[in-house]
Amino acid sequence: MSVGVRRVAKGVGDFVIEALGEAVGEFVLSLLACALLGCLVLVAYLAWSFSPRLTIAGAGVLGLLLAHGAWQTFRTSTKGRRRGLATLTAAAFGATAITAIFLLLYGTGCDCW
């Protein structure tokens, strides 16, 4: 076998392995997004079946905390440091934003419903 044929065969093999790895990665991420979406729906259903009023009140409090976290994240800070509740709400807002972006990218293709 000549050197050129080996190089082409190695290139094709590397391409197939990379394509297969990407396909498996996409599948795993889509599966995680579907599982996360299912868990969120289950939590909302169980909370609503337990107490609709408490669910609405909890959603309101969560909305206020996330709004405070967004405000803390995007405002121009005079001191440069956050303390206590500001740090907690900013971290909660960041985690929620990352989860929302993940679900937007991978949860939209979830055909499990």
Side-chain angles (χ1 to χ4, degrees), residues 3-113:
V3 176
V5 173
R6 284 186 196 160
R7 190 175 315 145
V8 169
K10 184 178 183 326
V12 169
D14 289 344
F15 172 76
V16 168
I17 289 173
E18 184 177 336
L20 187 63
E22 286 182 17
V24 168
E26 283 284 323
F27 176 74
V28 168
L29 287 173
S30 293
L31 189 66
L32 284 174
C34 284
L36 178 61
L37 204 54
C39 286
L40 289 174
V41 168
L42 179 66
V43 165
Y45 172 75
L46 291 176
W48 187 264
S49 66
F50 175 71
S51 173
R53 289 181 185 167
L54 195 58
T55 302
I56 291 173
V61 169
L62 181 65
L64 286 174
L65 288 175
L66 290 177
H68 184 261
W71 179 65
Q72 287 293 325
T73 300
F74 294 119
R75 76 180 182 121
T76 55
S77 179
T78 56
K79 295 179 189 176
R81 284 191 62 185
R82 294 186 196 121
R83 295 193 182 254
L85 182 64
T87 303
L88 181 68
T89 58
F93 171 73
T96 304
I98 289 171
T99 303
I101 290 170
F102 173 72
L103 286 176
L104 271 173
L105 291 175
Y106 293 103
T108 55
C110 186
D111 296 329
C112 54
W113 306 106

